[in-house]
Amino acid sequence: MKRIILFCLILFLTGCTKSPSVFTMVERADTGIRNVHYPITKVKKVDEVLNSYVNEVYQIFFTHHANGKYLCPELNIDYIYQHLEDRYLNITLFTYILDEVNHPPIDDVFSLFFDKSSHSFLSLKEVIKEESWENFSSLTKVKFQQQLPSFQEQEIQNLAFQIEEEVFSLYFVHEEELFTVTFPLDAVPLKFSFEPSPTPQEKIIPVSNSIDPKLPVVAITFDDGPTDYTNEVLQILKENDAVATFFVLGNKVEMYQNVIRDLVKNGSEIGNHTYNHKWLSRLSEGEIRFQIEKTQEKIKNITGIAPKFLRPTYGEVNQKIRRNTDLNIALWTVDPKDWKQKSPQKIASSILDIVEDEDIILLHDNHKRSVSALKILLPELKKQGYQFVTLSELTEVKRIREGKFFP
């Protein structure tokens, strides 16, 4: 049943999306956590293959969970996406499962390389120059055998592979463990030459928001975006002279760089919500730093501004996280549970019933119902005399109030 629901939701979003975007599903339950993130390309043949893989993983996961294989699990599907020369799509999906019994985590990987001109999928061998294949295979085998002595050369043709800006990566899963070999991109004998798309370098000058520290303030925050709904959120904020703080995932920043830049231009703030929403408190210190620092880098490359705030996934904070970041940890004071509550009116009402001065409200911009709730919430908060502030502005308001810097 869950597989059917997921598949229908994917088809719905694919049909509604006018340009490449990211499918996002974040589910929380007493039995565990599921995070799914991957591209919707608008190329039917590609999207069907991606959907099929995700549904297969999802079904296997729930079958194993029902059989008691996983206890309090985390399922995370992440991706790398490259659109090359407006002709080729290279996408890799990474599956990660963490549970209380099976350690280390369970990994899987799937990649595709699609030529839109010929409307065909290409294997690793088909993207390497024929005259270079033998040497490339030999070198690849040596590099994999340094990590996994049992690796055999016949595995090479079926390896998952991904082109990035300066790196060519090869992936192999053995006994549920992921092994990776990388080459400098310019050292790989590809049949095609690729130039990475430049990141826009226009300097962003944020709007300066006028705030009276003597009047009540409220900070609205959004997690798990950006998504196809985020631009609609921005328009609602504009209509109500409001700003918010958006805790974004690093793996979605490039795909949604235009809306992120527009958010900053209009006075909102961007925060760090990790790279791919893994359960941060359960990761090693090195993995925690990767999740935070890679996201910082992605956001700064797009906006020119490094985030000041980190919102750990699921609001869980421990000393291991605090040791590995200088960012301010930002939680919340009002949670309408919009990830679970289906009614926009009930989401808005649950906030309005308890909201107070200096509250931090948690919402998610990957749910249409949350966007609808925002349309109800903002005008009512304005009627009650609230000013809308970012978390940085809320911090400054508190500092001014504590210092009594106004008459």
Side-chain angles (χ1 to χ4, degrees):
M1 184 63 175
K2 284 183 177 292
R3 181 180 183 181
I4 295 172
I5 293 171
L6 177 65
F7 183 70
C8 291
L9 181 57
I10 290 168
L11 289 179
F12 172 76
L13 290 176
T14 303
C16 292
T17 306
K18 296 181 181 180
S19 60
S21 59
V22 181
F23 174 84
T24 297
M25 177 181 286
V26 179
E27 294 183 333
R28 305 162 178 84
D30 293 339
T31 53
I33 291 165
R34 277 80 68 185
N35 296 296
V36 180
H37 312 278
Y38 71 95
I40 299 171
T41 69
K42 293 304 292 176
V43 178
K44 183 178 179 181
K45 196 170 182 179
V46 173
D47 288 335
E48 285 177 347
V49 172
L50 294 175
N51 293 349
S52 178
Y53 172 79
V54 171
N55 274 287
E56 182 180 355
V57 169
Y58 215 68
Q59 182 66 26
I60 291 171
F61 176 79
F62 275 101
T63 299
H64 285 176
H65 183 265
N67 293 337
K69 181 173 181 179
Y70 304 138
L71 300 175
C72 196
E74 175 187 4
L75 167 65
N76 190 295
I77 300 179
D78 188 27
Y79 70 94
I80 300 175
Y81 170 94
Q82 281 285 5
H83 191 182
L84 304 156
E85 295 183 346
D86 202 32
R87 174 177 174 179
Y88 304 102
L89 291 172
N90 188 194
I91 300 167
T92 300
L93 301 186
F94 300 90
T95 296
Y96 166 96
I97 296 174
L98 177 68
D99 91 284
E100 300 286 11
V101 177
N102 296 315
H103 294 287
I106 298 167
D107 290 301
D108 190 39
V109 65
F110 169 79
S111 73
L112 60 81
F113 191 96
F114 185 76
D115 184 344
K116 294 195 291 184
S117 297
S118 64
H119 208 62
S120 61
F121 294 99
L122 304 181
S123 67
L124 175 60
K125 191 171 184 178
E126 290 171 312
V127 304
I128 301 294
K129 293 178 180 178
E130 292 179 17
E131 64 273 20
S132 303
W133 175 253
E134 187 174 341
N135 287 338
F136 177 78
S137 296
S138 297
L139 181 56
T140 298
K141 181 182 75 171
V142 169
K143 295 193 77 169
F144 267 112
Q145 286 183 340
Q146 291 172 355
Q147 306 175 51
L148 183 66
S150 63
F151 182 83
Q152 299 297 315
E153 189 166 350
Q154 60 262 32
E155 304 281 2
I156 293 174
Q157 290 194 52
N158 300 318
L159 291 175
F161 63 96
Q162 180 66 46
I163 295 171
E164 298 184 69
E165 287 191 4
E166 298 179 353
V167 174
F168 186 85
S169 299
L170 298 164
Y171 306 100
F172 180 68
V173 175
H174 176 71
E175 295 182 353
E176 299 180 331
E177 182 178 357
L178 178 63
F179 295 87
T180 306
V181 162
T182 59
F183 295 93
L185 185 56
D186 57 9
V188 179
L190 295 171
K191 290 181 180 178
F192 327 99
S193 60
F194 304 111
E195 292 294 330
S197 301
T199 299
Q201 296 300 316
E202 173 195 359
K203 184 178 180 181
I204 299 178
I205 303 176
V207 171
S208 178
N209 303 312
S210 178
I211 305 162
D212 185 343
K214 291 178 287 186
L215 299 178
V217 294
V218 64
I220 297 175
T221 66
F222 291 90
D223 284 10
D224 298 350
T227 72
D228 293 341
Y229 298 132
T230 307
N231 192 59
E232 187 176 353
V233 171
L234 172 58
Q235 301 312 311
I236 297 169
L237 291 173
K238 286 181 178 180
E239 292 167 7
N240 290 275
D241 299 317
V243 295
T245 301
F246 292 79
F247 285 96
V248 304
L249 298 173
N251 66 359
K252 300 165 78 172
V253 167
E254 291 179 7
M255 193 82 79
Y256 291 97
Q257 58 182 278
N258 290 334
V259 71
I260 287 176
R261 291 168 65 83
D262 286 343
L263 288 169
V264 176
K265 287 178 184 177
N266 285 277
S268 287
E269 184 171 19
I270 306 300
N272 188 321
H273 195 40
T274 75
Y275 187 73
N276 59 10
H277 214 284
K278 282 186 178 176
W279 205 335
L280 199 62
S281 62
R282 293 191 169 202
L283 299 179
S284 69
E285 298 203 7
E287 290 171 321
I288 290 171
R289 289 193 296 272
F290 170 84
Q291 288 283 326
I292 297 171
E293 292 169 8
K294 189 167 184 179
T295 303
Q296 289 290 101
E297 176 188 342
K298 293 280 187 182
I299 296 170
K300 188 171 183 180
N301 285 346
I302 295 299
T303 67
I305 304 168
K308 300 176 184 176
F309 295 93
L310 167 71
R311 176 162 285 166
T313 47
Y314 313 110
E316 288 193 10
V317 187
N318 57 21
Q319 288 305 313
K320 189 166 53 171
I321 294 174
R322 295 186 186 278
R323 281 197 305 269
N324 285 281
T325 184
D326 294 328
L327 299 180
N328 298 301
I329 304 296
L331 300 180
W332 55 84
T333 58
V334 177
D335 179 7
K337 292 183 169 52
D338 60 329
W339 52 270
K340 181 168 66 173
Q341 175 59 257
K342 306 300 182 184
S343 164
Q345 182 63 59
K346 288 182 179 178
I347 293 170
S349 296
S350 65
I351 295 170
L352 293 168
D353 287 346
I354 62 173
V355 68
E356 295 180 348
D357 185 25
E358 299 187 2
D359 266 338
I360 300 172
I361 298 170
L362 171 63
L363 291 169
H364 298 81
D365 51 332
N366 60 332
H367 301 304
K368 178 64 176 177
R369 57 184 176 268
S370 302
V371 179
S372 300
L374 191 68
K375 293 180 181 179
I376 302 168
L377 180 65
L378 293 187
E380 186 58 35
L381 287 173
K382 286 179 71 175
K383 284 182 186 177
Q384 295 181 18
Y386 283 100
Q387 302 171 99
F388 303 106
V389 294
T390 65
L391 287 187
S392 288
E393 291 166 345
L394 177 60
T395 301
E396 181 63 13
V397 166
K398 290 180 177 180
R399 186 186 70 83
I400 291 172
R401 289 175 174 178
E402 290 168 1
K404 298 183 171 40
F405 293 154
F406 52 85

